[in-house]
Amino acid sequence: MQDVFIIGAKGIGNYGGYETFLKKLIETDRNNKQIKYHIACKYNGQGAMDETKLPNAKTIDDHHFIYYNADCFKVDVSEKLKSAQAIYYDIAAFKECIRQIKLQQIKHPIVYVLACRIGPFVNKYVKQLHQLGGQVFVNPDGHEWMRAKWSKPVRKYWKVSEAGMVKHADLLICDSVNIEKYIQTTYAKYHPKTTFIAYGADVTATSLKTDDAKVRAWYQQHNVQENNYFLVVGRFVPENNYATMIKEFMKSKVDKDLVLITNVEHNQFYDDLKAETHFDQDARIKFVGTVYDGELLKYIRENAFGYLHGHSVGGTNPSLLEALGSTKLNLLYDVGFNREVAQDAALYWTKDSGSLSELLNKTQQMTPEQIECFGNKAKQRIKDAYSWQLITEEYNQAFLGNRNYEIK
């Protein structure tokens, strides 16, 4: 039995890329008799990690529950820590992993750390784990230090932290070929051992029907009609190119709406964007808030005329994979990460003035057969390279083949 401790995600029942990854990994791998998962879950005493939302979870006590074959433990994190919560959480979770490994006398454990938040502090815990015969695997995520939402000091911390995580990891699991190349090139002096395992998605159609009450309620509430809108789904941050997408859409002549599913509450970026673009004067631009119902979101994706993806930072983006699995026509910002994923199953635009608006206008001349062809290519791309079954099998190979990796 190979014990794998995974830290860095908020939990299994939460919304987010890493959280979805954990849920899918455990569900897909639930009959695996060779791997025992131990999952850290962030807990602030107010239901931040609420396993009651998981139909197959079994509560053991206030800080412990079982989900399929995964042993899940909650790590207390005070809300008072504010921006330092994530760093504290990862360190506290790592400490708890070491405590459990010692207590249960686990041999050859793996601690898999999602994201590079604790680089300046990780060496101490890596040494302790090595003394116990264990190894540290790290998922470096994307270029967190490039995100515009962070101040310069925070970006500097992210860069230093990334270097520390790369230096001390026994294996780095990159979810993008471009990220793997970046790690190998930027940190060549550390001789990092890397492998590529993508994020997953599925092409299963939504279970909802057109006349379902929740479907009709959502479309009526936002005055939107099926197949009559372009869709954007993603974090509301500058590096996702909201300004470019909105400006170019306003320049275009399309007679469809632009529906943006994102959280804009109490967000200065929203006010700045409104002042810059005056999108409130274009009735086609519709910010509709968030949609946490997975089946409803899938229905909205499936019934969009097209999807706009402006992400410019990171590796394999979950929202892009979900779009390729659900939406026929996908218009992506032309950057290496996005081309790596979609290849010829999508159309591409740049930040150059007129690039996206002209592409949007051209889509209005496309035939249903041309759009269907793109949709088929997109779904096939997901089936071939990003299915959860495939991703899980690759993780099994990494975890079960771990003794082939030298401990630093």
Side-chain angles (χ1 to χ4, degrees), residues 218-229:
W218 187 89
Y219 279 87
Q220 289 168 13
Q221 177 186 353
H222 301 294
N223 191 25
V224 177
Q225 297 177 350
E226 281 95 332
N227 201 43
N228 200 45
Y229 57 92

Side-chain angles (χ1 to χ4, degrees), residues 154-171:
V154 173
R155 286 192 214 176
K156 185 175 181 180
Y157 173 84
W158 276 112
K159 189 68 171 135
V160 169
S161 187
E162 179 183 85
M165 297 298 284
V166 172
K167 179 178 179 180
H168 297 294
D170 297 299
L171 177 69

Side-chain angles (χ1 to χ4, degrees), residues 106-125:
I106 294 172
K107 298 185 186 222
H108 309 298
I110 294 170
V111 175
Y112 184 28
V113 186
L114 304 176
C116 295
R117 288 180 284 259
I118 55 173
F121 317 101
V122 77
N123 187 34
K124 171 183 176 180
Y125 305 105

Side-chain angles (χ1 to χ4, degrees), residues 130-147:
H130 284 173
Q131 289 170 358
L132 297 170
Q135 296 177 89
V136 175
F137 290 7
V138 172
N139 186 309
D141 198 13
H143 298 317
E144 193 68 31
W145 51 270
M146 290 177 63
R147 296 192 186 280

